[in-house]
Amino acid sequence: MNAAMELFLDSFWDILLPGLLVTIPLTALSFTFALIIAVIVALIQFANVPILTQLARFYIWIIRGTPLLVQLFIVFYGLPHVGILIDPFVAAVVVFSINEGAYCSETMRAALESVPKGQLEAGLCAGMSWGQTIRRIVLPQAFRTAFPTLGNSLISMVKDTSLAANITVTEMFMTTQRIVARTYEPLLLYVEVGLIYLIFCTVLTKLQTSGEKRLQKYGRR
């Protein structure tokens, strides 16, 4: 029992450090780019831009219809066969961004469509351009509507980053696997890394709840 507790304490920082230096930055970068992709794709569909709308829907269909792990393998292990070499961390950011962007784009599209059409018409009647109306009136309301779902997507992405271990990204899960290979204590160490993921997700859940309360107060003003 003492040996197990000692291993738990000794390995805690060894697992937490890659979480702070790799898992969190990987999540933050990927989700930021995913939001950018999501807004662009959602706006294309919302505006019903010819050809681009069909391309956007094709992109969403492909990404949502194939496993994230397969996408990681295609980019990291497949592209080198055509002469494209990508750093593991960069490959993970690219794949997570593209993958999450497809899901978030549908969230944003639904949020945009939930904004009353009169808001857009009012902005245009006030002399603003379509882009100004979208940026100043429609998007802020859409983001407020989409915030809870986007928050859930961010929390889910924190856990999904564990898949990056399959393309040699030294994040928390890969670090845990290496410690397990050295100590032969899979149950203890996998429970430990699960607890650290739980801590990260709990913090994000608290921030999400706080953000929702702030947006509710803003919406009532």
Side-chain angles (χ1 to χ4, degrees):
M1 185 67 179
N2 290 335
M5 182 58 67
E6 184 177 351
L7 175 61
F8 186 92
L9 295 175
D10 288 344
S11 60
F12 185 82
W13 178 250
D14 291 336
I15 297 173
L16 179 62
L17 187 60
L20 297 174
L21 298 181
V22 180
T23 299
I24 295 301
L26 175 58
T27 302
L29 285 172
S30 300
F31 196 73
T32 299
F33 291 132
L35 279 182
I36 294 171
I37 294 171
V39 170
I40 293 172
V41 173
L43 285 174
I44 287 172
Q45 295 185 88
F46 181 71
N48 199 22
V49 180
I51 299 177
L52 291 181
T53 297
Q54 299 304 317
L55 289 175
R57 289 173 181 168
F58 180 77
Y59 152 69
I60 293 169
W61 172 64
I62 290 292
I63 297 301
R64 295 203 305 176
T66 55
L68 175 57
L69 186 59
V70 171
Q71 296 166 17
L72 282 167
F73 275 43
I74 288 174
V75 171
F76 185 71
Y77 294 113
L79 291 184
H81 284 274
V82 293
I84 302 175
L85 299 175
I86 304 179
D87 177 81
F89 185 86
V90 175
V93 170
V94 169
V95 174
F96 287 135
S97 300
I98 293 173
N99 181 275
E100 195 63 40
Y103 288 93
C104 290
S105 68
E106 288 295 270
T107 299
M108 285 303 304
R109 180 186 59 79
L112 286 168
E113 292 177 353
S114 72
V115 177
K117 292 184 178 179
Q119 300 282 341
L120 180 59
E121 294 170 357
L124 296 174
C125 291
M128 287 189 286
S129 66
W130 187 88
Q132 290 174 327
T133 306
I134 291 294
R135 187 175 69 254
R136 297 177 183 178
I137 299 176
V138 178
L139 269 181
Q141 295 181 68
F143 268 115
R144 187 164 67 243
T145 301
F147 184 83
T149 306
L150 292 176
N152 291 337
S153 297
L154 175 59
I155 292 169
S156 180
M157 180 176 279
V158 172
K159 295 175 288 183
D160 288 343
T161 56
S162 60
L163 292 174
N166 291 282
I167 59 169
T168 72
V169 177
T170 312
E171 41 69 70
M172 287 198 300
F173 190 68
M174 172 170 273
T175 301
T176 304
Q177 288 178 313
R178 290 176 176 176
I179 299 175
V180 168
R182 188 174 68 247
T183 61
Y184 301 101
E185 288 287 350
L187 178 60
L188 175 69
L189 292 167
Y190 288 137
V191 168
E192 183 173 26
V193 72
L195 289 174
I196 296 176
Y197 277 113
L198 180 61
I199 291 170
F200 286 170
C201 292
T202 300
V203 171
L204 288 175
T205 300
K206 295 293 185 183
L207 292 174
Q208 178 186 357
T209 302
S210 176
E212 288 179 21
K213 289 180 179 178
R214 285 179 176 271
L215 288 175
Q216 287 173 1
K217 290 179 181 179
Y218 176 80
R220 288 194 293 266
R221 290 177 182 174

